[in-house]
């Protein structure tokens, strides 16, 4: 049938660039739906396309972008991480505490990155050792890590930072250093997945873990490595979060795992694993941040916005499944 043949030709391209298509549609909505202004730095006289708002978008993108890149590695091996938000909250408190007590900035950054990587590797190792579903293990991690964060801070916020990591918020060539950090992370993640043996093994495990095992791929070690990469990205996001908010909050990161998963799925990463890329995830994260900003500018309730994110996840997954059936 000619129509079915046409759909088969279009769907792979649509799925590959679904995040970009969604972002373009969202920007078109923002062009006509957001309040207008006569400011000279506003493109099309739209508040959304003003220079100040676009800088705000770039500033807000760093944390969810890093989380989404880490989530991409986990999802590609057929896993899921529900503990990302809780891990970010704990690492945010660790980072703030060390800085407040006079630790040097480089050592603090290295320590937080190390702890985040270890937490991710432990979760991956538990999954490999117990053969439990990643959903169950990371759900337990979500609860435990949040509890540890509150115990670590004695249920109090950590304040008193003196700008030790404020340079992440400083602009360089018009973009905050945090934004450049996200771009560098995206580039490195893309190269790792596309050009290294580890990256090829990640895709192989997500495509068919048993076939990968029979082919000699160390499935448990690669999965643990993917979760370790995720932990590193969460730690990096926690450092950027600390720089942005200048304090430590044991409640930080609530619901951030939803944004990370949504960004990865909208960017074309299949929840069943084995298909997706970091560049698409970056576009998906940009879509989510732009959606959040658009919701705020339109005065829409936060909870209504959360509902729309759920609809977006369903739509993205449906398109992926529909494409596989066709």
């Amino acid at each position: 049938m000619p129509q079915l043949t046409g759909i088969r030709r279009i769907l792979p391209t649509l799925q590959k660039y679904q995040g970009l298509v969604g972002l373009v549609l969202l920007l078109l909505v923002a062009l006509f739906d957001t309040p207008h202004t006569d400011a000279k730095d506003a493109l099309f006289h739209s508040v959304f396309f003003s220079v100040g708002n676009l800088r705000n978008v770039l500033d807000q993108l760093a944390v969810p972008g890093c989380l989404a890149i880490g989530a991409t590695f986990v999802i590609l091996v057929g896993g899921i991480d529900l503990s990302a938000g809780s891990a970010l909250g704990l690492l945010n408190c660790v980072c703030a505490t060390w800085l407040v007590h006079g630790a040097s900035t480089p050592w603090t950054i290295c320590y937080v990155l190390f702890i985040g990587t270890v937490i991710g590797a432990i979760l991956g190792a538990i999954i490999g050792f117990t053969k439990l579903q990643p959903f169950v293990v990371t759900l337990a991690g979500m609860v435990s890590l949040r509890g540890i964060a509150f115990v670590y801070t004695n249920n109090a916020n950590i304040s008193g930072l003196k700008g030790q990591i404020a340079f992440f918020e400083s602009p360089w060539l018009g973009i905050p250093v945090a934004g450049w950090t996200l771009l560098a992370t995206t580039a490195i993640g893309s190269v790792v997945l596309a050009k290294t043996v580890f990256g090829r093994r990640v895709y192989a495990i997500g495509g068919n873990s048993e076939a990968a095992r029979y082919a000699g791929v160390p499935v448990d070690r690669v999965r643990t490595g993917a979760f370790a990469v995720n932990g590193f990205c969460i730690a990096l996001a926690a450092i950027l979060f600390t720089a942005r908010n200048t304090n430590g909050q044991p409640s930080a990161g609530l619901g951030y795992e939803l944004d990370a998963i949504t960004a990865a799925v909208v960017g074309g990463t299949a929840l069943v694993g084995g298909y997706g890329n970091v560049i698409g995830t970056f576009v998906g994260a940009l879509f989510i941040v732009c959606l959040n900003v658009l919701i705020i500018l339109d005065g829409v309730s936060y909870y209504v916005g959360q509902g729309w994110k759920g609809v977006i996840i369903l739509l993205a997954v449906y398109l992926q499944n529909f494409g596989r059936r066709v």
Side-chain angles (χ1 to χ4, degrees), residues 8 22 30-31 40 49 62 75 83 106 117 139 144 150 169 188 191 213 226 232 251 257 275 290 311 317:
R8 285 174 174 170
L31 180 61
K40 294 181 179 180
F49 291 99
I75 296 173
S83 67
T117 305
L139 178 62
S144 299
F150 278 102
E169 292 296 299
I188 294 171
V191 170
R213 195 184 302 274
F232 179 91
S251 60
E257 60 277 348
Y275 184 86
C290 287
V311 172
V317 174

Side-chain angles (χ1 to χ4, degrees), residues 2-3 15 23 47 50 63 82 102 118 121 144 146 156 163 203 209 224 227 247 280 315 324 326:
Q3 292 180 344
Q15 289 176 328
L23 179 61
V47 173
S50 64
V63 172
L82 301 180
V118 169
S144 299
R146 184 67 67 186
Y203 283 111
S209 60
T224 300
F227 272 86
N247 65 4
L315 180 60
R324 284 195 294 270
V326 172

Side-chain angles (χ1 to χ4, degrees), residues 128-145:
F129 179 76
T130 63
K131 307 304 179 187
L132 291 173
Q133 292 295 325
F135 177 90
V136 176
V137 174
T138 58
L139 178 62
M142 177 180 70
V143 177
S144 299
L145 292 172

Side-chain angles (χ1 to χ4, degrees), residues 76-78 197-223 274:
L76 283 175
V77 295
V197 173
F198 174 75
R200 290 194 291 271
R201 287 176 171 177
V202 165
Y203 283 111
I205 293 173
N208 190 322
S209 60
E210 287 305 312
R213 195 184 302 274
Y214 287 133
V217 175
V219 174
D220 291 339
R221 280 190 293 169
V222 174
R223 183 183 289 115

